Each structure stands twice: as C-alpha cells, then as structure tokens.
Amino acid sequence: MCGKGVNGFMKRIYMDHAATTPTDNEVVKAMEPYFTQKYGNPNSIHSFGQEARDAVEEARKKVAHLIGANPSEIIFTGGGTESDNFAIKGIAWANQKKGNHIITSKIEHHAVLHSCQFLEKHGFRVTYLPVDKYGLIDPDNVKKAITDQTILVTIMHANNEIGAIEPIKEIGKVVKEAGIYFHTDSVQTVGHIPIDVNDLGVDMLSMSGHKLYGPNGVGVLYLRKGTRIDSLIGGGSQEKNRRAGTENVAGIVGMGKAAELAEKRLVQGEEDKLIKLRDRLIKEITEKVDHVLLNGHPKKRLPGNVNLCFEFIEGESMLLNLDMEGVAASSGSACTSGSLEPSHVLLAIGLPPEIAHGSLRLTLGKDNTEEEVECVIDILPKIIEKLRALSPFKGSWEGLKK
Ligand code: PLP
C-alpha cells in the first residue's frame, strides 16, 4: 500500500535530494579507515602522514576527472557555502585595484547573494541581473551589464529551487571576451549532469559533497590555473596556501569516492532515468490537480527537479501533510524554510507572493523508484483537495474551479 511498508509500518519516501543526499554506502566504506586506522595528518613526514596525503591526492584526481579539470586546480573547502564565499570575496579582494564591480543574478543561493551584499558594504558595486519567467538569464544582459570596472561575473549553473539550468557556456563566451573572471555555483549540477570546466568556460566552480551522495562539510572550489585570488582562511600552507587548516581527510576521501561513483552513474544513464520520473510526476500531478503551475523551464531543468505552485494553499501545510504520509519534500530551499518570506527565486520569476507561498519542491535521487513516484501521484492530489476545502481562500477557489 502506498506510503505503508510491511506490517503497517510507514514506508518513508525521500524526495528532497536538492537539500541533501544520503551518503552512499561505498562512500562511507571508503571514508571509514581514515578515522580509525589511517588517521595521519597529511602534512606529516612519517608513513601515517604520507598515507593520508596519498588519499587526499587520489581524491583530488577523481574530482578533477569528473569536471575535466587538472588536479592542481582543485581546492578542498568546507562545503559549497565556503567555496562560493571564497570565489567571490577572494576575487574581489585580490582584484580591487582593477575595478569594484561584480555581476550576479537575482536567483542565486544565499551563499552568493550574502557574499555580494557583504562586498557592497565594503565599497563594491553589484548588479543583480533579472531572469525570465523560467528563471533563465539572458547572456545579452550579462554583456550589457559589463563595465570597465567589472572584475567578476558569478552566475549559478542550476537553480536549487526551480531547477533552471542557466546558459553558462554562452555566458562564459561573453565574459571571456571581456577578459573578466567567471565563477559558477555548480553545487546542484556536479555529478548530476555532465560538466567540463573548459567547455563551460568558467574560471571557478563551486561544488559540495553532500549534494552528490558524499559527506556533509566538504566541498571544492575549482580554480583555473593563473586565477588571481586571495584566500579567506589564513594559517598553515595547506592547499597550496589557498585554504589553511589541517585537511578533512576522511571527508575529502568521501568526496573523491562520491565523484568517482557520480561519473559512473552519468555513464550508465542516471540522468535519463530521473528525467523520466520527473516528467511523469509533473505530467500526472498537473493533469490531476487544477490551478497548479510548473516553476522553471519544462526542459532546461535539473533531471530530478519538480517545483510546482498550488494556488490557495500554503506550502508548509502541504509539507506537513506529505510528511504525515511519509513523503519528505520541501517548499522553497532548505536554507530558507522556516522563514515566512516567500522565496526570492519565485518572486524573481514574477510570481505574486500569495502564489509563491504555495510552492512545493520534490527532488528525486538515484534510489527513487517508479512505485514511489506513483505513490506521490496518488497522495498529493488528495492532500491538495483536503487543504483547499479547509482553505480561507475557499470561496475564491470554488469560483475558479474548472
Ligand atoms: N549553492 C547552492 C546552489 C546550493 O543549493 C547550496 C545548498 O543548498 C549551497 C550553495 C550551499 O552548499 P553547502 O550546503 O555545501 O554549504
């Protein structure tokens, strides 16, 4: 039975992979010895240290391979947030004599937006580009925004809420012509769609372990050779003086293993499997429910991302009702949930706040099945029906009913 396992126990369904992914068993297995047996400090000369150093360098190669980079261009960090902060503030501090202007978009993750807002308090000027109704940025708008003071363009590869995949390659061409640094927050795309940093034309790219079945608290900044950047964290000379602090060896090993496994899954066609499940969810829910809107582009979207707005309903009540049925989803991004502010991304694509409040994000992962998708297709319309019957907007809803 849907939502129920054997003996009446609730079978839980996880559809919140954009918030975090489960750590792969193989990743955990690869990490384990680095806690209890191979615990040397990679900066030590002795054999324990060298064992750990080898593991860090092996992981660096695996991550580099996944994105078509050179291992020397991979800097391990404490996660996606740190990578974004490092790229943006690091470029700003190191290049402030050249100019003080940065270009980004209105739909970036807060790790990017807050870094930019911080720099605004310190004399930098930031242009926040608009997006179209699908959440896509026009490369021409990037071109028009560039001035002789521009030192950095930072545009996310794909949006974490609505899944829109931005035209990074086209933007890369524009930015390269202008001779400016280009950073992309690729936290939601690395390991989920094929990526080649040279093909994209980026100088910096952020990634995060826990979004690709690796551990939390470890990330990477890809840094193209020759990029002039200041480090954020001072101390020892780790990561070629770019990021001080004794390396998180087990986390880095986990990140490397996660990258290796992600590469295999991409070759085996995981993207197509997720697209099929995603499109089925979108098609059947929008057929079964009235007054529902797909957020983001129908095709230019992350393989596992479904984001819908249901009119006359609060996102939070949908989440609670789904959770009672064992289904984990989200409304807006995990980082903003808990706040009553409508998502800045949904407002940027032109939704009025009352509609933006009724958003639901289901993000599929490698272990979701057809059966789980069928279960959500069965449960969700019933929840919507129930909530609309209780809704304070009931009158207006009934008047609009098809
Ligand atoms: N950037 C994007 C697009 C994200 O989705 C997230 C996490 O939700 C981050 C950055 C932050 O990554 P982390 O959780 O590793 O700090």
Side-chain angles (χ1 to χ4, degrees), residues 103 129 138-147 174 177:
I103 299 171
L129 293 174
D138 182 347
D140 265 354
N141 284 343
V142 178
K143 196 171 185 167
K144 283 182 206 147
I146 293 173
T147 73
V174 168
E177 267 170 31

Side-chain angles (χ1 to χ4, degrees), residues 24-35 38 55 62 249-250 253-258 260-261:
D24 198 299
N25 285 335
E26 281 193 59
V27 169
V28 176
K29 229 162 76 193
M31 291 171 70
E32 256 178 300
Y34 294 91
F35 291 108
K38 306 181 180 188
K62 288 176 181 168
V249 179
V253 167
M255 180 93 195
K257 189 69 188 176
E260 179 193 323
L261 295 173

Side-chain angles (χ1 to χ4, degrees), residues 43 72 127 139 169 267 298 303 318 353 379:
N43 307 292
S72 64
T127 301
K169 193 173 165 174
V267 173
M318 266 187 284
I379 290 172

Side-chain angles (χ1 to χ4, degrees), residues 27-338:
V27 169
V28 176
K29 229 162 76 193
M31 291 171 70
E32 256 178 300
Y34 294 91
F35 291 108
T36 50
Q37 296 153 39
K38 306 181 180 188
Y39 45 77
N41 182 325
N43 307 292
S44 301
I45 293 269
H46 48 63
S47 65
F48 287 83
Q50 291 318 298
E51 201 168 43
R53 169 59 53 207
D54 290 350
V56 167
E57 296 316 315
E58 196 50 39
R60 204 184 302 279
K61 281 187 204 152
K62 288 176 181 168
V63 171
H65 198 261
L66 177 65
I67 59 168
N70 192 301
S72 64
E73 298 172 310
I74 299 298
I75 314 288
F76 289 110
T77 67
T81 299
E82 184 187 321
S83 299
D84 286 342
N85 273 264
F86 179 18
I88 296 164
K89 295 175 187 170
I91 288 290
W93 299 137
N95 297 276
Q96 55 187 320
K97 285 207 181 101
K98 268 189 166 164
N100 71 342
H101 180 227
I102 292 166
I103 299 171
T104 188
S105 84
K106 289 187 175 170
I107 63 161
E108 299 297 312
H109 189 271
H110 284 120
V112 167
L113 291 177
H114 290 174
S115 296
C116 289
Q117 287 157 12
F118 170 82
L119 289 171
E120 282 180 294
K121 289 190 204 141
H122 293 272
F124 290 85
R125 196 169 69 75
V126 181
T127 301
Y128 299 89
L129 293 174
V131 291
D132 69 9
K133 65 176 180 176
Y134 297 120
L136 297 174
I137 289 151
D138 182 347
D140 265 354
N141 284 343
V142 178
K143 196 171 185 167
K144 283 182 206 147
I146 293 173
T147 73
D148 61 356
Q149 285 296 302
T150 312
I151 49 172
L152 172 71
V153 174
T154 172
I155 302 286
M156 71 200 317
H157 194 184
N159 183 266
N160 45 305
E161 292 186 41
I162 58 172
I165 300 178
E166 301 299 338
I168 293 299
K169 193 173 165 174
E170 290 71 20
I171 297 171
K173 283 187 193 135
V174 168
V175 178
K176 196 166 187 179
E177 267 170 31
I180 296 163
Y181 287 125
F182 185 26
H183 166 250
T184 189
D185 175 343
S186 231
V187 165
Q188 292 289 340
T189 50
V190 173
H192 303 292
I193 59 174
I195 288 182
D196 183 300
V197 286
N198 294 314
D199 186 49
L200 290 179
V202 294
D203 300 302
M204 288 159 288
L205 178 146
S206 299
M207 50 195 283
S208 168
H210 74 108
K211 309 285 184 178
L212 71 154
Y213 308 97
N216 284 15
V218 58
V220 160
L221 182 67
Y222 156 75
L223 195 59
R224 186 176 289 280
K225 187 166 181 257
T227 303
R228 185 208 286 245
I229 192 164
D230 277 359
S231 41
L232 289 192
I233 301 172
S237 59
Q238 290 90 354
E239 298 298 280
K240 291 205 226 124
N241 284 317
R242 304 282 199 205
R243 203 274 188 181
T246 303
E247 296 86 341
N248 169 9
V249 179
I252 289 170
V253 167
M255 180 93 195
K257 189 69 188 176
E260 179 193 323
L261 295 173
E263 203 168 326
K264 275 194 201 148
R265 282 194 306 275
L266 280 171
V267 173
Q268 289 162 357
E270 160 156 301
E271 219 186 326
D272 292 340
K273 177 198 137 181
L274 288 182
I275 288 173
K276 215 169 128 226
L277 293 179
R278 173 196 81 188
D279 288 349
R280 183 165 177 212
L281 264 175
I282 294 173
K283 180 172 178 288
E284 298 201 23
I285 293 170
T286 51
E287 276 172 6
K288 281 186 162 192
V289 182
D290 288 342
H291 297 285
V292 51
L293 200 75
L294 174 67
N295 298 314
H297 194 277
K299 297 279 171 228
K300 294 175 189 169
R301 70 185 305 129
L302 287 168
N305 176 288
V306 175
N307 190 313
L308 300 162
C309 273
F310 297 90
E311 287 184 62
F312 318 110
I313 300 198
E314 286 291 326
E316 283 71 21
S317 44
M318 266 187 284
L319 291 190
L320 290 174
N321 276 268
L322 279 169
D323 193 40
M324 283 192 285
E325 299 284 346
V327 179
S330 105
S331 178
S333 70
C335 322
T336 48
S337 60

